[in-house]
Amino acid sequence: MKIIESERARTVSFSKRKKTLLEDAKKFATQTGADVGVMLFSPGGKPCSYGSTSIEEIIENFLKVKLEDRQRDYVEGKSNEIPRDKHMEDQKLAMKLRVEKIKKETQNSILVEHLKFDLNVAPEPEDEQES
């Protein structure tokens, strides 16, 4: 695989693949009952996300399970590294802040789209009715 050289073709491909990815994530969550979360950024830097439940909740659960796995591995002797609760908490906080930023940017993008209007279209003059 290689990057699509044409920016326009890359943007079109991103839009189509994003739509398919989000549909597949929704289908997977529906069919399996699993919590599914997808976060991605467009080539232009715009965030996009899908969560079968709250994306924040999915991230929090993921980090919690990851921490439990590390602690279990340490107790069972599978890992020499002592689990760092502080490090995991820092990661969790950083992820929450990123998610909040993405939500704000997404809401702002949606708001901008709602506020756009075509300045080239002028309202038709109302007919004056004479009495």
Side-chain angles (χ1 to χ4, degrees):
M1 289 181 75
K2 64 178 185 172
I3 191 163
I4 300 170
E5 297 298 324
S6 166
E7 188 174 331
R8 180 166 163 65
R10 190 169 50 245
T11 303
V12 169
S13 181
F14 173 82
S15 296
K16 289 179 181 179
R17 289 176 181 252
K18 176 183 83 169
K19 181 181 177 193
T20 303
L21 175 66
L22 298 180
E23 287 172 353
D24 287 348
K26 184 176 181 179
K27 185 176 171 183
F28 182 78
T30 302
Q31 290 178 346
T32 63
D35 288 338
V36 176
V38 178
M39 291 175 43
L40 52 114
F41 292 87
S42 72
K46 287 188 177 182
C48 178
S49 66
Y50 164 79
S52 56
T53 62
S54 156
I55 196 80
E56 294 90 348
E57 188 177 315
I58 292 171
I59 292 168
E60 192 170 313
N61 287 341
F62 174 80
L63 293 174
K64 179 181 171 190
V65 169
K66 197 85 161 138
L67 175 62
E68 290 169 357
D69 285 348
R70 289 181 69 199
Q71 289 173 339
R72 185 183 64 246
D73 287 348
Y74 178 74
V75 169
E76 293 176 357
K78 294 179 182 175
S79 171
N80 295 329
E81 183 181 332
I82 298 173
R84 299 181 298 185
D85 293 341
K86 176 74 173 123
H87 177 68
M88 196 58 112
E89 287 299 316
D90 291 345
Q91 284 183 330
K92 186 175 165 182
L93 178 61
M95 188 68 78
K96 282 184 177 182
L97 292 173
R98 277 188 242 140
V99 167
E100 286 300 317
K101 182 180 176 186
I102 290 168
K103 283 175 68 177
K104 286 179 185 176
E105 289 174 356
T106 303
Q107 288 171 347
N108 288 342
S109 294
I110 291 169
L111 182 60
V112 167
E113 288 299 318
H114 284 293
L115 295 177
K116 284 184 179 175
F117 58 91
D118 190 351
L119 294 175
N120 296 324
V121 177
E124 293 184 22
E126 295 181 18
D127 293 331
E128 293 182 22
Q129 295 180 357
E130 295 181 20
S131 309

